Amino acid sequence: MLMPPDIGFTLSNQSFEIWLQKPHDFATVRCALRTLKTRWPDVILPDVEIALAEALNNIAEHGGATVVGRPICIHWSHASGILDLCIQDYGRHIPQPIWSTPHLPTTECHLEDLPEGGFGWSMIHAICLDVKYDRQGSQNFLHLQFEASNTP
Amino acid sequence: MEIETQTCANTLCLTIVADRIDAAGVIHFKDRVLAEIEAATSPRVILDLNQVGFVDSSGLGGIVSIMKHLGTDKRLDLCALTPTVTKVFRLTRMDSVFHIYASLDIALQDADAA
């Protein structure tokens, strides 16, 4: 097994590794997002932060035990006003209907029936120009494409 | 996370002193807010989010959960949403569920809500 760094993530020029300490390790996701935003404010624009947070929280919540002790790798590249971001992890496979055709939970309902979750993939699709997912061996590859100049 | 509390007329105003409400802190956030609400008798509660720069879908779910917990006995309103938080509410259509005011002063001036 690869050895995670003490701080939970590692930096390089156009990539970033997050090392979850346990399943549901949202605290490390939070630290990683804060670090990314501070180090690369021109990459982690508000829309990118919203989508990236949802994608990383999904991995922490649904990835299972196999995400622990292995890096979640984020790579990005800029070209012609487009930001391409790839998130690579060792968590569970994501079934196609979940990532490709999410349904935003309805808010036209009684108070007691209001949704408290299930927004993540819909938000990602609403923000991104393109969303692609691929499974290779034991790894997930999520490709997100953004307008690099997006603001909320 | 700190919460600054003030009561104006029949309204409990809770200012969330945190830069984010997210999956890592949503349980603590809910517990703290509900404790403040249950300790007060005000029929209206305003969450002032002017210091909260980011809310993820878990944080949003926490705010919705607080509203559902209050039921029809008390009213929960929001104010001073920052741009990224505003976008999260818009993307999820939760901006049609909550009364959202530009500032705490404007929220308090809404006589219909008092």
Side-chain angles (χ1 to χ4, degrees):
Chain A
M1 178 174 290
L2 301 170
M3 292 300 294
D6 291 341
I7 57 171
F9 42 82
T10 55
L11 308 165
S12 69
N13 198 26
Q14 285 199 306
S15 66
F16 190 84
E17 291 184 354
I18 303 169
W19 299 73
L20 301 185
Q21 309 299 307
K22 58 187 178 183
H24 300 90
D25 185 4
F26 300 115
T28 296
V29 171
R30 172 198 275 180
C31 289
L33 287 167
R34 278 189 171 137
T35 302
L36 276 162
K37 196 173 166 184
T38 302
R39 179 77 183 264
W40 291 285
D42 55 333
V43 174
I44 309 302
L45 298 167
D47 276 2
V48 179
E49 185 180 15
I50 292 171
L52 186 56
E54 297 307 322
L56 294 176
N57 283 338
N58 278 341
I59 295 169
E61 184 170 4
H62 303 296
T66 51
V67 296
V68 179
R70 293 171 163 188
I72 300 168
C73 303
I74 305 170
H75 307 274
W76 61 86
S77 61
H78 268 121
S80 305
I82 300 293
L83 169 69
D84 283 301
L85 196 143
C86 177
I87 305 167
Q88 181 181 343
D89 74 271
Y90 289 88
R92 293 192 187 101
H93 171 255
I94 308 170
Q96 184 172 6
I98 290 178
W99 71 264
S100 68
T101 51
H103 296 287
L104 184 65
T106 183
T107 54
E108 294 178 2
C109 57
H110 295 296
L111 175 67
E112 61 270 24
D113 297 323
L114 281 173
E116 297 178 32
F119 308 112
W121 282 106
S122 296
M123 291 165 68
I124 290 170
H125 276 268
I127 286 170
C128 293
L129 296 174
D130 193 28
V131 178
K132 286 192 172 73
Y133 168 80
D134 187 25
R135 178 82 173 181
Q136 295 178 18
S138 58
Q139 293 189 70
N140 300 309
F141 294 82
L142 180 64
H143 298 271
L144 305 178
Q145 193 173 78
F146 303 85
E147 273 187 39
S149 59
N150 254 356
T151 55
Chain B
M1 175 183 293
E2 295 296 323
I3 299 178
E4 292 175 357
T5 304
Q6 59 175 308
T7 303
C8 305
N10 289 325
T11 301
L12 175 67
C13 306
L14 302 176
T15 300
I16 307 303
V17 185
D19 66 332
R20 54 204 299 134
I21 304 171
D22 59 13
V26 66
I27 294 173
H28 179 63
F29 163 74
K30 273 173 54 179
D31 289 348
R32 289 290 317 278
V33 170
L34 287 174
E36 295 288 350
I37 292 172
E38 285 167 10
T41 56
S42 308
R44 185 186 183 206
V45 180
I46 301 173
L47 275 189
D48 182 347
L49 300 178
N50 81 85
Q51 298 180 47
V52 179
F54 185 79
V55 169
D56 65 14
S57 65
S58 297
L60 176 69
I63 296 170
V64 174
S65 173
I66 291 166
M67 186 189 212
K68 291 166 71 172
H69 185 88
L70 299 186
T72 54
D73 295 336
K74 294 185 178 184
R75 169 174 168 166
L76 178 67
D77 293 335
L78 308 176
C79 74
L81 272 58
T82 55
T84 304
V85 176
T86 298
K87 180 144 194 180
V88 169
F89 273 78
R90 193 168 77 237
L91 288 172
T92 56
R93 299 188 193 133
M94 281 297 169
D95 57 349
S96 66
V97 171
F98 290 88
H99 291 270
I100 299 173
Y101 299 88
S103 70
L104 181 58
D105 285 345
I106 293 172
L108 288 169
Q109 287 167 14
D110 186 351
D112 293 336

